[in-house]
Amino acid sequence: MDRVTFADLVANRASWDASVNETVGLDTWSTGSDWCFSTHKTWGTGPEVVLRSDDGWAAFGRLELEEASALIALDPVWGFASPIAGNNLSRLVADVCRELDDIPDWDLVLLTGVMEGSSLDRACMSAFGQHHQLFGGPATVRLVADVSDVDAWWARRGDKFRRNVRKAQRYGEANGLVIETLDSLSADEVINRLMVIEASSWKGQEESGLLGGDMGNFYRHMAAPLRAEQRLRASVAIVDGVDVGYILGAVRADTYRGLQVSFAAGFEKYSIGHLLQYHELHRVAQIGVSRYDLGMDMPYKHHWSDSVEETRSLIVRR
């Protein structure tokens, strides 16, 4: 395997994404460059360990713990992403393991974003288990909806939920609420407009959402390439000419990933979150999206989702 830099990896983004697409057993959206490169640029630390071969890639950042130095995927915040992607996984992971054995400055490797029992999981267990101790780490749960047939998806929603959405639609129409897509704006213009809305939301008041820590920078890193490839999706809800809510997401292959939904305080009676999600789901379905990945498990998302997808983590101790 060749050891290269993170800058080399970014320059070969298409190759990384191709390896992700052909890997069986990982969270494809989060391991893709849109998510994990942006996460690492915002919160990751180096020196990175990036390995490349004909079989694929491995990319690790650093996490300094109180009594240990760890190599982690390029997703140090959520742990959605896998650090390894490619084909011929048995050979790829065995090569990665050998290369890491020659690197002295780590105590732990955190293998996240792996679906239990998958080809990737089996390859990691086999290769790393020969020379090191393995421990099970925390699982990460995401909620997913099948929107290949939007009418069928809608029919699977509960009666009360559907009544509430229809009621919100009628209330919004009667009180002048309109939804505007932001496809004509640049990436920075989109984020700037959404951050103004966030400042008046409960998330903004708690300094979360787009205004939490470095989250704004994270979404700017992500939005730029997404907009360049026309995969960024953002819409705003407007009442009396004022932006009062937004939804932000992105498309990758057949998947729409929801990123943030928020609305201004004082507009709760409009059910703006429901209206924006319903609008966006129908919009992306028109371009062939069949999966709505809602991200991490939260109670309100169960109304929208059909199934749970879980990835686990393996802790490798040297």
Side-chain angles (χ1 to χ4, degrees):
M1 301 194 81
D2 298 323
R3 185 167 179 182
V4 299
T5 66
F6 178 66
D8 293 326
L9 175 61
V10 172
N12 286 277
R13 175 186 174 199
S15 175
W16 170 271
D17 283 333
S19 293
V20 171
N21 291 344
E22 63 189 5
T23 307
V24 177
L26 50 70
D27 176 352
T28 303
W29 161 263
S30 300
T31 307
S33 62
D34 300 320
W35 179 270
C36 74
F37 286 13
S38 302
T39 308
H40 183 71
K41 287 177 181 178
T42 308
W43 293 287
T45 59
E48 298 89 355
V49 175
V50 183
L51 305 169
R52 182 181 187 179
S53 76
D54 291 339
D55 295 318
W57 292 84
F60 298 90
R62 303 277 181 165
L63 180 63
E64 295 302 322
L65 305 172
E66 187 173 336
E67 297 181 357
S69 178
L71 297 177
I72 59 172
L74 303 179
D75 179 4
V77 179
W78 293 277
F80 286 138
S82 166
I84 301 173
N87 56 36
N88 197 339
L89 288 170
S90 295
R91 186 168 66 191
L92 173 62
V93 179
D95 288 346
V96 170
C97 190
R98 280 192 293 271
E99 291 292 329
L100 294 184
D101 283 347
D102 291 336
I103 297 175
D105 55 342
W106 63 268
D107 306 297
L108 304 173
V109 175
L110 305 183
L111 301 171
T112 53
V114 182
M115 295 180 182
E116 187 169 3
S118 66
S119 301
L120 178 59
D121 187 40
R122 294 194 300 271
C124 289
M125 294 280 286
S126 175
F128 285 96
Q130 291 183 33
H131 306 288
H132 308 289
Q133 292 179 298
L134 298 181
F135 302 90
T140 301
V141 172
R142 291 172 296 108
L143 299 179
V144 178
D146 176 359
V147 293
S148 55
D149 183 332
V150 176
D151 291 335
W153 166 81
W154 180 244
R156 293 193 298 272
R157 303 309 101 198
D159 290 342
K160 181 179 179 181
F161 176 73
R162 287 186 294 172
R163 285 197 302 271
N164 287 340
V165 172
R166 294 303 190 202
K167 180 179 178 181
Q169 289 175 321
R170 291 192 298 270
Y171 185 87
E173 290 171 1
N175 289 275
L177 183 144
V178 295
I179 295 177
E180 176 186 320
T181 61
L182 304 184
D183 294 342
S184 64
L185 302 185
S186 70
D188 273 340
E189 288 172 332
V190 169
I191 300 302
N192 290 341
R193 186 162 173 180
L194 303 191
M195 290 182 80
V196 172
I197 301 171
E198 195 74 287
S200 61
S201 73
W202 66 265
K203 290 183 180 180
Q205 293 166 7
E206 294 182 358
E207 296 186 347
S208 62
L210 294 178
L211 301 182
D214 286 325
M215 292 293 286
N217 290 331
F218 167 60
Y219 285 113
R220 288 187 194 279
H221 285 311
M222 196 187 308
L226 286 169
R227 172 56 82 220
E229 297 173 5
Q230 298 184 331
R231 295 187 294 115
L232 186 68
R233 294 291 181 272
S235 298
V236 295
I238 303 171
V239 175
D240 294 332
V242 178
D243 292 348
V244 296
Y246 74 84
I247 184 168
L248 177 67
V251 172
R252 187 181 195 277
D254 67 342
T255 298
Y256 169 72
R257 173 64 186 265
L259 298 171
Q260 289 284 343
V261 180
S262 193
F263 58 89
F267 288 84
E268 290 79 5
K269 59 187 177 183
Y270 283 85
S271 298
I272 290 172
H274 283 346
L275 296 179
L276 286 169
Q277 290 201 83
Y278 186 83
H279 168 270
E280 207 67 13
L281 275 184
H282 282 76
R283 190 161 79 106
V284 297
Q286 294 174 358
I287 60 171
V289 165
S290 60
R291 297 175 73 255
Y292 175 21
D293 185 339
L294 291 94
M296 66 177 61
D297 189 356
M298 299 179 72
Y300 83 88
K301 296 179 182 179
H302 287 263
H303 295 298
W304 297 88
S305 63
D306 294 311
S307 61
V308 172
E309 292 187 1
E310 182 175 304
T311 53
R312 71 161 172 165
S313 54
L314 288 172
I315 302 171
V316 179
R317 185 164 72 184
R318 195 165 198 148

